[in-house]
């Protein structure tokens, strides 16, 4: 079985992906991680992506499809969990030639909750340990418990960027949600619920499918 997990930034896709991989043994495909790795490795594709990601702009369909094609050998023949992909109808159509998606789970969350979840995140500048001002604060404000380095807030977690990314997601995914809805493959789940409740609800949808 192949599953796609969609939702706005901060809706809990990362948390739910980890749980689903542990329970079902999916091969986790995160296009976000792939994009960042391409930039980090300074590959030809990464060089073209650097400015796009820095400006929090949409990555063109052609680049996303090229990226997935480069990684297909890693998950060919395996049960796949696609984290945050596809985001557009052209991406969905291109994906269908690579992986037959059986179920698309869409996590919903209002922008106010997303701002609370993501706006409070801080990351250690040295060891990358993540903290949250409300849910997992450091013992000393601005200092990492683990290594003592300064905590920083990523551009992606700043309020203006969060609102921009949320708006882009909402606009960009309307077509792909309708695409999978028409195929009878989509289920919407309230991402504001407790993460364990969200997980159990996803599992019910997976096992029903």
């Amino acid at each position: 079985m192949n599953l796609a997990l969609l939702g706005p930034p901060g809706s809990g896709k990362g948390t739910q992906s980890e749980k689903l991989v542990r329970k079902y043994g999916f091969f986790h495909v995160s296009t976000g991680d792939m994009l960042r790795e391409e930039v980090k490795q300074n590959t030809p594709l990464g060089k073209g992506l650097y400015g796009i990601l820095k400006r929090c702009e949409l990555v063109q369909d052609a680049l996303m499809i090229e990226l997935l094609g480069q990684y297909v050998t890693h998950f060919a023949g395996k049960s796949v969990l696609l984290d945050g992909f596809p985001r557009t109808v052209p991406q969905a159509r291109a994906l269908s030639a690579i992986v037959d998606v059986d179920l698309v789970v869409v996590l919903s969350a209002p922008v106010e909750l997303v701002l609370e979840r993501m706006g409070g995140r801080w990351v250690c500048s040295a060891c990358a340990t993540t903290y949250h001002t409300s849910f997992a604060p450091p013992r000393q404000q601005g200092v990492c418990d683990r290594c003592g380095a300064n905590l920083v807030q990523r551009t992606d977690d700043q309020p203006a960027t969060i609102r921009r990314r949320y708006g882009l997601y909402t606009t960009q995914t309307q077509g792909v949600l309708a695409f999978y809805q028409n195929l009878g493959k989509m289920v919407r789940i309230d991402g504001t619920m407790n993460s364990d409740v969200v997980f159990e609800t996803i599992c019910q949808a997976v096992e029903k499918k």
Side-chain angles (χ1 to χ4, degrees):
M1 178 179 183
N2 299 310
L3 171 69
L5 185 60
L6 303 179
S11 60
K13 295 189 301 297
T15 298
Q16 299 304 326
S17 292
E18 291 177 5
K19 292 183 176 184
L20 288 164
V21 168
R22 286 197 298 268
K23 182 176 177 69
Y24 295 109
F26 286 115
F27 185 90
H28 185 205
V29 178
S30 169
T31 51
D33 290 345
M34 291 178 184
L35 290 168
R36 287 185 285 272
E37 184 62 22
E38 291 293 317
V39 172
K40 181 180 178 181
Q41 297 297 328
N42 199 33
T43 65
L45 180 59
K47 291 176 181 178
L49 291 168
Y50 175 77
I52 296 171
L53 297 182
K54 188 175 182 179
R55 295 187 298 271
C56 296
E57 295 176 350
L58 299 178
V59 179
Q60 300 97 320
D61 289 333
L63 288 178
M64 292 301 300
I65 293 166
E66 178 185 352
L67 176 71
L68 192 68
Q70 289 184 5
Y71 281 81
V72 69
T73 55
H74 296 286
F75 57 81
K78 300 177 181 178
S79 292
V80 172
L81 169 59
L82 293 151
D83 181 352
F85 188 90
R87 294 278 291 270
T88 68
V89 173
Q91 290 176 15
R93 287 175 174 157
L95 175 64
S96 65
I98 301 171
V99 172
D100 184 17
V101 175
D102 300 291
L103 179 66
V104 177
V105 174
V106 182
L107 300 179
S108 60
V111 68
E112 293 79 12
L113 178 63
V114 170
L115 284 166
E116 179 184 357
R117 286 178 174 176
M118 299 180 66
R121 289 196 306 205
W122 292 79
V123 180
C124 177
S125 57
C127 69
T129 300
T130 301
Y131 298 88
H132 194 284
T133 52
S134 299
F135 310 127
R139 289 191 294 268
Q140 181 180 347
Q141 184 176 357
V143 178
C144 178
D145 295 346
R146 182 172 296 178
C147 69
N150 292 332
L151 302 182
V152 297
Q153 189 171 50
R154 300 182 305 178
T155 302
D156 283 357
D157 293 334
Q158 294 173 2
T161 304
I162 294 169
R163 289 186 182 278
R164 188 183 315 118
R165 291 178 62 204
Y166 189 97
L168 288 172
Y169 166 83
T170 302
T171 301
Q172 186 185 32
T173 56
Q174 288 179 353
V176 77
L177 298 188
F179 177 84
Y180 284 116
Q181 181 78 60
N182 290 336
L183 292 175
K185 294 184 174 184
M186 192 185 80
V187 59
R188 293 180 183 271
I189 293 176
D190 183 0
T192 67
M193 298 186 295
N194 176 278
S195 63
D196 291 336
V197 176
V198 173
F199 179 61
E200 288 304 318
T201 308
I202 295 174
C203 290
Q204 290 172 12
V206 169
E207 289 165 17
K208 182 179 179 180
K209 195 70 176 181

